[in-house]
């Protein structure tokens, strides 16, 4: 049963299910200063916007000082009259849960359950995303002056669209897919796209390129948050040929609406704020920093400015369509928003896989923000027998097999709050011995954006993106569980004595172990 978050007399589950696009999501949050802030003070999208938001609500692996805070919409963008920029919509787990109509502890279960209610998208004929049409064939067309693509730092290779959802179709099978990628603006009608190894749309591109053909795609920005969350699932949870838009349909209990693009043979998200139409060109590559020479790309989720890629595929833009007064959505690369986007699908995938193999063993999973939602998982296990000492480690192995990019797993008992890093470190300090409770699996595929995963760091690694994976078993041995019992305090509601303090774990029912 889905947990319901209450705000006064309002049922947020019902409100969340009414969300169909970004504007509905903003409307849900607009009157709550914890979740939404708007500014009409002019701001420059070139490094200044991200520099401000790092103090407001970026969080994640952003260099300190930073914090979690409200989403922020800037309505006066230097050099742009008709476009506002929204950042940080998903940069807080509680806010994501609210937008999905549930609570922080239950949001991963709600996302996992969406697979059982999956709904395929439908095609409509009229779409808000096409209220305004800008054709690239027009002599004055220039995407650089049309849309304010931000830079995160002064060292970025180029301006980037950081929340652009690519939609493409396999030229051989006709199956469509959606993924989010690093998109750099390279010219008036050219973008470069970084595809991490194994991404499905890149496989579509390679098939088209092998046939000497361009691949039509659309880039969709400013969307219902459920679409972004669903799009971030990966194989094997969503195998090749699975359209992740079905997950968003399951989350909203209503199919995502698509519309035919204006200039290419592909679909777009009908209620997007902005759609870029175009083709990935066969055999054409550009250096990511060809216009800047910085040598850096942009800050990615591990918290580092990785090197600019020397050879990336090119998208030739054929049109940009928008709603009237469009909202461009972006993120601060290594911030908490990435943890939500990548981490919640990671948690849901692990829960589905472990529940299937070891029913009832795993109580909770948190894809920790220190790993950007990808590299580090904390798993809370219920031990009921001595056999579960081994089952807990088996669950960690299943997690590593379920999510290829996962690097480290920490196992804890049900009396440890997976969302509280101090509590997790306490368990690692008092319930773990390095010589018996650390399991290392060497030479396994990981992720190319982790700078430690390369032969220059460890000569035993055969290639970039290969790593050692580690399980840290910080659970008490079952036969010694009495010796590891925590001191128990009286269960007293503190609110009558401290009415002005905030106790969110009491208000939303997200106590440890629930």
């Amino acid at each position: 049963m889905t947990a319901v978050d209450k705000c006064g007399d309002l049922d947020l589950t019902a409100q969340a299910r009414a969300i169909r696009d970004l504007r509905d999501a903003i409307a849900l949050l607009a009157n709550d200063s914890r979740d939404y802030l708007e500014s009409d003070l002019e701001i420059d999208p070139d490094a200044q916007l991200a520099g401000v938001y790092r103090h407001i609500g970026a969080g994640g692996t952003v260099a300190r000082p930073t914090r979690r805070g409200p989403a922020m919409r800037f309505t006066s963008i230097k050099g742009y009259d008709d476009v506002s920029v929204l950042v940080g919509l998903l940069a807080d787990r509680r806010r994501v849960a609210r937008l999905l109509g549930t609570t922080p502890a239950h949001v991963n279960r709600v996302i996992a359950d969406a697979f059982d209610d999956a709904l395929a998208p439908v095609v409509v004929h009229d779409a808000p995303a096409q209220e305004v049409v800008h054709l690239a064939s027009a002599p004055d067309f220039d995407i650089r002056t049309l849309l304010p693509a931000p830079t995160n730092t002064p060292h970025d290779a180029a301006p980037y669209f950081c929340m652009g959802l690519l939609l493409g179709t396999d030229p051989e099978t006709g199956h469509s897919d959606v993924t989010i990628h690093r998109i750099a603006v390279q010219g008036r009608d050219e973008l470069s796209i970084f595809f991490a190894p194994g991404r499905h749309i890149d496989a579509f591109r390679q098939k088209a390129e092998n046939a000497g053909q361009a691949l039509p795609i659309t880039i969709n920005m400013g969307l219902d948050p459920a679409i972004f969350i669903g799009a971030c699932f990966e194989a094997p949870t969503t195998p090749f040929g699975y359209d992740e838009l079905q997950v968003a349909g399951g989350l909203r209990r209503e199919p995502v609406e698509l519309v035919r693009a204006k200039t290419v043979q592909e679909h777009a998200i009908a209620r997007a704020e902005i759609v870029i139409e175009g083709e990935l060109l066969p055999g054409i590559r550009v250096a990511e920093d060809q216009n800047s020479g910085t040598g850096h790309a942009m800050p990615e989720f591990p918290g580092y400015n990785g090197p600019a890629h020397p050879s990336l595929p090119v998208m030739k833009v054929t049109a940009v369509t928008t709603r009237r007064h469009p909202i461009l959505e972006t993120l601060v690369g290594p911030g908490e928003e990435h943890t939500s986007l990548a981490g919640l699908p990671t948690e849901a995938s692990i829960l589905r896989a472990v529940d299937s193999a070891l029913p009832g063993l795993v109580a909770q999973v948190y894809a920790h923000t220190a790993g950007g939602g990808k590299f580090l998982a904390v798993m809370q296990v219920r031990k009921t027998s001595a056999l579960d000492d081994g089952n807990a480690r088996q669950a960690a192995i299943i997690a590593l097999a379920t999510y290829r990019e996962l690097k480290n797993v920490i196992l804890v008992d049900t009396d440890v709050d997976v969302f509280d890093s101090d509590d997790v470190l306490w368990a690692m300090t008092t319930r773990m011995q390095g010589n018996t409770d650390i399991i290392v699996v060497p030479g396994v595929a990981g992720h190319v954006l982790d700078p430690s995963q390369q032969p220059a760091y460890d000569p035993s690694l055969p290639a970039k993106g290969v790593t050692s994976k580690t399980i840290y078993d910080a659970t008490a041995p079952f036969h010694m569980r009495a010796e590891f019992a925590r001191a128990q305090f009286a269960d007293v509601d503190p609110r009558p004595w401290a009415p002005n303090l905030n106790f969110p774990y009491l208000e939303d029912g997200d106590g440890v172990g629930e």
Side-chain angles (χ1 to χ4, degrees):
M1 182 176 177
T2 300
V4 177
D5 189 5
K6 295 284 187 178
C7 181
D9 295 325
L10 299 178
D11 181 345
L12 295 184
T13 299
Q15 288 189 2
R17 286 186 179 162
I19 293 174
R20 300 181 67 201
D21 56 27
L22 178 61
R23 298 187 185 200
D24 289 342
I26 291 173
L28 180 63
L29 306 175
N31 294 323
D32 189 340
S33 60
R34 297 178 305 165
D35 281 330
Y36 184 77
L37 179 64
E38 203 167 285
S39 173
D40 60 4
L41 182 66
E42 185 181 77
I43 197 162
D44 194 331
D46 185 7
Q48 188 180 40
L49 188 150
V52 167
Y53 191 67
R54 76 82 77 86
H55 293 286
I56 302 296
T61 57
V62 170
R64 273 49 186 166
T66 188
R67 66 173 182 176
R68 298 184 195 182
M72 192 164 185
R73 184 177 175 186
F74 298 91
T75 59
S76 180
I77 308 299
K78 183 179 179 180
Y80 300 86
D81 295 330
D82 193 46
V83 187
S84 60
V85 175
L86 175 71
V87 61
L89 183 66
L90 304 179
D92 186 277
R93 186 185 187 96
R94 182 190 53 78
R95 185 157 60 245
V96 177
R98 185 178 180 187
L99 290 166
L100 296 182
T102 183
T103 62
H106 292 86
V107 63
N108 47 19
R109 290 284 183 185
V110 168
I111 295 169
D113 290 346
F115 278 84
D116 299 325
D117 300 314
L119 291 173
V122 297
V123 178
V124 299
H125 299 293
D126 296 311
Q130 296 177 338
E131 289 174 342
V132 181
V133 178
H134 305 271
L135 298 177
S137 58
D140 61 345
F141 179 89
D142 192 329
I143 199 168
R144 296 169 296 189
T145 58
L146 185 62
L147 299 176
T151 59
N152 271 220
T153 78
H155 308 292
D156 286 10
Y160 283 91
F161 296 119
C162 297
M163 288 283 278
L165 184 74
L166 271 66
L167 194 160
T169 301
D170 188 322
E172 295 177 356
T173 68
H175 291 136
S176 296
D177 201 355
V178 287
T179 48
I180 303 172
H181 299 285
R182 191 168 86 204
I183 304 165
V185 179
Q186 299 292 354
R188 64 175 294 275
D189 62 354
E190 288 190 352
L191 310 173
S192 65
I193 300 178
F194 173 81
F195 293 100
R199 296 299 184 255
H200 293 179
I201 290 183
D202 192 37
F204 301 168
R205 179 196 62 78
Q206 292 174 22
K207 287 183 179 183
E209 185 169 85
N210 291 340
Q213 299 174 352
L215 180 73
I217 62 169
T218 61
I219 299 173
N220 303 267
M221 295 185 285
L223 307 173
D224 172 4
I227 295 176
F228 281 126
I229 294 292
C232 289
F233 278 92
E234 298 181 10
T237 306
T238 53
F240 196 78
Y242 186 96
D243 185 352
E244 284 87 355
L245 291 177
Q246 298 176 85
V247 181
L251 283 167
R252 294 300 186 210
R253 309 290 175 87
E254 186 175 345
V256 174
E257 294 180 347
L258 303 177
V259 67
R260 270 282 178 190
K262 292 288 187 180
T263 59
V264 295
Q265 293 298 307
E266 190 48 88
H267 289 99
I269 308 296
R271 301 187 69 85
E273 292 289 322
I274 298 166
V275 177
I276 303 173
E277 303 179 1
E279 297 178 323
L280 289 169
L281 301 178
I284 305 296
R285 303 288 187 272
V286 297
E288 196 167 16
D289 63 343
Q290 64 173 344
N291 298 313
S292 66
T294 66
H296 297 286
M298 60 166 282
E300 284 279 8
F301 70 90
Y304 298 98
N305 266 18
H309 200 286
S311 181
L312 290 179
V314 173
M315 176 185 179
K316 178 67 76 171
V317 176
T318 54
V320 172
T321 72
T322 74
R323 298 179 74 147
R324 294 184 181 89
H325 312 298
I327 306 167
L328 189 146
E329 193 172 358
T330 190
L331 57 74
V332 174
E336 187 69 19
E337 194 152 17
H338 191 281
T339 300
S340 298
L341 285 166
L344 289 169
T346 298
E347 294 169 19
S349 297
I350 291 171
L351 285 169
R352 285 175 61 85
V354 176
D355 286 350
S356 177
L358 299 165
L361 179 70
V362 174
Q364 184 60 277
V365 178
Y366 173 42
H368 201 288
T369 191
K374 285 179 175 282
F375 291 165
L376 174 61
V378 186
M379 299 177 64
Q380 187 189 66
V381 295
R382 301 185 186 96
K383 291 185 180 181
T384 59
S385 72
L387 183 61
D388 287 335
D389 286 341
N391 280 334
R393 297 183 179 195
Q394 181 66 28
I397 293 170
I398 291 170
L400 291 172
T402 299
Y403 195 75
R404 187 192 74 181
E405 295 168 351
L406 184 60
K407 182 180 180 183
N408 297 320
V409 176
I410 303 171
L411 297 169
V412 298
D413 296 297
T414 53
D415 63 343
V416 176
D417 184 353
V418 298
F419 303 111
D420 185 335
S421 296
D422 286 346
D423 217 24
V424 173
L425 288 172
W426 169 80
M428 294 180 73
T429 301
T430 64
R431 297 181 179 180
M432 194 180 81
Q433 287 292 313
N435 63 324
T436 59
D437 296 322
I438 298 177
I439 303 100
V440 178
V441 184
V444 186
H447 198 293
V448 295
L449 292 179
D450 177 353
S452 74
Q453 298 183 28
Q454 56 176 310
Y457 186 94
D458 179 357
S460 71
L461 298 176
K464 190 173 185 179
V466 178
T467 189
S468 290
K469 301 199 173 186
T470 310
I471 299 168
Y472 302 89
D473 188 349
T475 62
F478 184 77
H479 74 281
M480 296 180 67
R481 61 194 182 280
E483 296 182 44
F484 289 91
R486 300 182 77 154
Q488 296 299 303
F489 294 83
D491 188 9
V492 180
D493 187 340
R495 286 173 289 190
W497 288 271
N500 295 324
L501 295 183
N502 183 30
F503 300 94
Y505 56 91
L506 296 176
E507 294 166 4
D508 60 22
D510 282 351
V512 176
E514 290 195 4

